Structures are given as structure tokens and as C-alpha cells.
Amino acid sequence: YVKEVIRWRPVAGLGAPHCVIQDDVYHGFTIPKGTTILANQFAMELDPELWEEPEEFMPERWLQRPDQELGIFGYGRRKCTGQYQAMDSAYIVMSRMLWAFQFNHRYEHDRKVELGPWDLKQDGNLYVAKPFRADIKPRDPQKKDAIYAAVNSEKDDVDIDYVLNEIGHALAPKGNRDDMET
């Protein structure tokens, strides 16, 4: 799932800037030495010549191609040296969140609040999800106790609703923090 999330909606729509070290020709276009170039991550990760049904979120595609590389970490000799730590960290965070919490759609007025796959906002070169409402609850009492213990082992009065609300406030854009709900 981690690789598919990153492929399907890369955080950086454009890669890190690079400088061409010698004149180059790409698809008939001359790129002079010294030109700054940016890799279009969205276009590459959604390329129908590389991915079957690229617009679809299909984690199972990685079962057939587990060693397929992701462009988000760059290419060639300047490829990110921290890519393995980043992937391992993302896996740990996602697996712990899924272990601890149930994630469900929010229902308002007996209707499911739908989230669009392109409900993103641009922040510089980054794309992040727009604030949205969801129901997030501990999976069971034992996991709730483990969450309390992890948040603050010295206090017994940790309120999981408070923790989730603080997460929502931290992720909310300035000016909308009072309106956030988990």
C-alpha cells in the first residue's frame, strides 16, 4: 500500500531541481548546459505506458512488480540516499496507524461525506490533501490503552479525543483550526 499511495499521489508534483551539466537533446529539444530541469512526478507516476490503469489506486500492482522503482526519489547518481529510510518510516507509521485505529468515512445528515481523489491543494512544490472530516477511533479497548500509554506513560488522564483533535488542528490551515474535526 505504501508504494501505491506514493505512486498514485506523489507529494511533490515536480522533483527536485537539477542542473544539466552538458548540452543535451531530448525528443528533439535542445537543453543547454546549465539549464535547471524539474522531473514531472505526476506525469511519470501516472504514465499509461508504464502503469496499467494509472489513475486507479491498485496496491496489488506491486505484487507483480515489487522491484519497480518510484520516481519520487529521483534518478541516476543523484537519487535520494534516504529513500530506504523514508519508505521504512512510511511503512512503520502507516502500519501502526492501521493497527491502532479504525478509519471510516464521516456521515452527515445520513449521507456519506465523499472524498475526491484529486481533493488536493498545492503548497509550493508540494501537494497535500485538503482538510476533510473522517471518523477515527481506536480499534478496541486494548489498543486504546496502548495508545494512552504511548502518548504519556506518566499520566492516566490522556484523552484520545483530545490527541486526535490536536492532530486535526496541527494539520489544518491557519485560520481554519477552530473548524477542524477528526
Side-chain angles (χ1 to χ4, degrees), residues 38-51:
L38 298 160
N40 186 338
Q41 299 301 139
F42 267 119
M44 289 186 280
E45 299 300 355
L46 297 175
D47 183 350
E49 291 184 23
L50 184 59
W51 303 103

Side-chain angles (χ1 to χ4, degrees), residues 5 10 18 29 32 41 45 55 62 68 85 88-89 94 103 107 113 115 131 138 145 151 153 156:
V5 167
H18 287 77
F29 292 95
Q41 299 301 139
E45 299 300 355
E55 293 285 343
W62 295 94
Q68 177 68 36
Q85 181 178 359
D88 289 348
S89 296
M94 290 176 98
F103 296 86
Y107 285 83
V113 176
L115 305 175
D145 291 343
V151 170
S153 59
D156 292 328

Side-chain angles (χ1 to χ4, degrees), residues 4-12 42 46 54-55 117-118 120 127:
E4 183 65 357
V5 167
I6 292 170
R7 182 209 66 82
W8 189 58
R9 294 296 181 261
V11 174
F42 267 119
L46 297 175
E55 293 285 343
W118 289 102
L120 305 171
Y127 289 90

Side-chain angles (χ1 to χ4, degrees), residues 110-146:
D110 295 325
R111 294 181 61 190
K112 182 165 80 171
V113 176
E114 294 291 339
L115 305 175
W118 289 102
D119 287 346
L120 305 171
K121 65 178 181 169
Q122 190 170 359
D123 185 7
N125 187 33
L126 303 179
Y127 289 90
V128 296
K130 291 179 181 175
F132 61 92
R133 298 181 189 278
D135 284 326
I136 305 172
K137 296 181 173 103
R139 288 191 175 275
D140 57 50
Q142 292 80 17
K143 289 183 176 52
K144 185 175 183 177
D145 291 343

Side-chain angles (χ1 to χ4, degrees), residues 157-177:
D157 62 350
V158 175
D159 180 2
I160 195 67
D161 293 325
Y162 171 79
V163 172
L164 290 172
N165 192 43
E166 287 303 301
I167 292 169
H169 282 291
L171 296 176
K174 290 180 180 158
N176 293 340
R177 293 185 181 187

